[in-house]
Amino acid sequence: MKIISTNISKIKTVVYNGKEVKTGIFKTPTNEPVVIEKLNIIGDEQADLVNHGGVDKAVYAFSHNHYDYWRRMLANEDLTSGIFGENFTISDLDEANIHIGDHIRIGTALLEVSQPRVPCFKLAIALNNKNSLKLFTQYYCTGIYFRVIEQGVAKTGDAVTIEKKAAHKISVKKLFQAFFDKKYVGYEDVLLEALTLPELAVEWQEKLKKKLAIKVESAK
């Protein structure tokens, strides 16, 4: 794996459904090295600090390999690196083979996989497609959020390596699909196992508890 593109953005204000929306999703490539700190990347801004950035979502990466699929699916050949709001567009980043708690070296920084990405309405703004949220969720490959174990510097072309694999079987894709796919067989077992993982982001721990509680209530 390697960094195909490093992407950052300042906060912008756009009009969506007749209302002004502040967002940092419009990320564009930079040729300069970026500094990865505990809560974010220097020079990259988030408008909604409740749902973006912070310890468990300091860095977001998306696979370069998914781009051809989305160009076909959205009938848009103009999709360029950063359009999904990712800080790093990385070759061969496979959500099915990367697990919650894996340690991944990006440039000189050491990151830990914390959760899948759940798309919000701002992705539809960036892609200019109102159906993109549904399509994105159904694809189950939504990119990866990381927390920062060791701060560092990264730039386009740097190697991306897995330095430590988690001992369990809960991949980023498996967790996301078990949560959202109503036909996923054995999803409760996946979610229950995921809840035992201390590396799982607090936000997702709460999501799983809520979903499992609803399941328990409906079974009574």
Side-chain angles (χ1 to χ4, degrees), residues 36-41 44 46 53-60 87 145-148:
I36 302 170
E37 295 195 330
K38 286 291 185 180
L39 299 181
N40 60 9
I41 292 173
D44 187 51
Q46 298 85 34
V55 172
D56 288 339
K57 292 188 283 188
V59 175
Y60 174 56
N87 299 116
Y145 271 115
F146 299 89
R147 64 176 60 89
V148 179

Side-chain angles (χ1 to χ4, degrees), residues 20-214:
E20 287 191 348
V21 176
K22 294 183 182 297
T23 178
I25 200 170
F26 295 105
K27 307 213 182 293
T28 55
T30 175
N31 292 322
E32 299 298 320
V34 295
V35 178
I36 302 170
E37 295 195 330
K38 286 291 185 180
L39 299 181
N40 60 9
I41 292 173
I42 292 180
D44 187 51
E45 297 181 350
Q46 298 85 34
D48 179 2
L49 295 179
V50 173
N51 295 303
H52 302 283
V55 172
D56 288 339
K57 292 188 283 188
V59 175
Y60 174 56
F62 192 75
S63 180
H64 180 259
N65 301 58
H66 297 330
Y67 267 81
D68 283 344
Y69 171 86
W70 286 111
R71 290 185 181 109
R72 295 192 303 270
M73 179 61 65
L74 300 176
N76 185 350
E77 292 297 322
D78 296 327
L79 298 182
T80 56
S81 294
I83 192 67
F84 293 94
E86 74 269 24
N87 299 116
F88 296 110
T89 313
I90 296 175
S91 64
D92 301 316
L93 185 72
D94 186 354
E95 293 92 339
N97 292 321
I98 294 180
H99 298 71
I100 300 299
D102 283 358
H103 285 191
I104 297 183
R105 182 75 65 179
I106 296 183
T108 65
L110 183 64
L111 310 182
E112 183 176 67
V113 177
S114 58
Q115 67 169 79
R117 184 252 190 101
V118 179
C120 72
F121 74 97
K122 292 179 181 178
L123 179 63
I125 298 176
L127 296 174
N128 192 29
N129 188 309
K130 65 181 181 180
N131 295 318
S132 59
L133 295 185
K134 179 179 180 181
L135 294 171
F136 198 73
T137 301
Q138 291 174 338
Y139 188 49
Y140 308 127
C141 295
T142 69
I144 300 169
Y145 271 115
F146 299 89
R147 64 176 60 89
V148 179
I149 304 298
E150 297 174 6
Q151 299 181 145
V153 178
K155 65 183 184 301
T156 297
D158 279 352
V160 176
T161 57
I162 300 175
E163 293 207 349
K164 186 182 83 171
K165 288 294 296 180
H168 57 80
K169 301 291 186 180
I170 306 299
S171 71
V172 174
K173 182 178 180 179
K174 177 183 283 188
L175 176 57
F176 188 89
Q177 186 170 0
F179 189 88
F180 283 101
D181 183 358
K182 295 180 180 179
K183 297 181 180 179
Y184 193 99
V185 177
Y187 79 89
E188 298 102 326
D189 293 336
V190 174
L191 302 188
L192 285 169
E193 183 177 354
L195 266 177
T196 70
L197 306 178
E199 302 90 352
L200 183 64
V202 172
E203 174 188 329
W204 265 79
Q205 292 177 25
E206 295 304 317
K207 288 171 70 71
L208 299 190
K209 289 176 184 176
K210 183 177 180 180
K211 188 177 183 69
L212 289 168
I214 292 173

